[in-house]
């Protein structure tokens, strides 16, 4: 009897537990290459479904630091 399917299913359930940060504002900023809505890169967006739970958690933890304060935006980029 194989338990491989149980391990695969458990990994899929764990990964699904980390929800997507998508807020349905899917526009990539030409300056920094990040989505205006969720601050992910195109690669992260494209591969999100295949990421493990730990990969998703890593990206989620980085997202707040990717946002620039309005005061930190260089002149002319606003």
């Amino acid at each position: 009897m194989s338990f491989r399917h149980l391990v695969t299913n458990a990994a899929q359930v764990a990964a699904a537990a980390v929800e997507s940060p998508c807020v349905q504002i899917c526009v990539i900023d030409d300056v920094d290459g990040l989505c205006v809505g969720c601050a992910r890169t195109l690669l992260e967006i494209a591969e999100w479904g295949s990421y493990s739970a730990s990969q998703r958690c890593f990206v989620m933890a980085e997202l707040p630091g990717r946002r620039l304060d309005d005061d930190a935006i260089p002149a002319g980029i606003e």
Side-chain angles (χ1 to χ4, degrees), residues 6-76:
L6 295 177
V7 173
T8 302
N9 289 341
Q12 291 170 340
V13 169
V18 180
E19 294 184 24
S20 170
C22 182
V23 294
Q24 305 298 310
I25 303 173
C26 306
V27 177
I28 301 300
D29 186 294
D30 291 335
V31 175
D32 61 16
L34 299 175
C35 176
V36 172
C38 68
R40 290 181 293 170
T41 65
L42 277 175
L43 182 62
E44 290 167 342
I45 294 167
E47 295 186 354
W48 190 258
S50 65
Y51 279 0
S52 67
S54 62
Q55 288 171 306
R56 289 181 181 192
C57 286
F58 179 82
V59 172
M60 293 291 284
E62 283 193 338
L63 296 180
R66 294 180 184 181
R67 300 279 185 205
L68 293 174
D69 293 335
D70 289 338
D71 296 338
I73 299 173

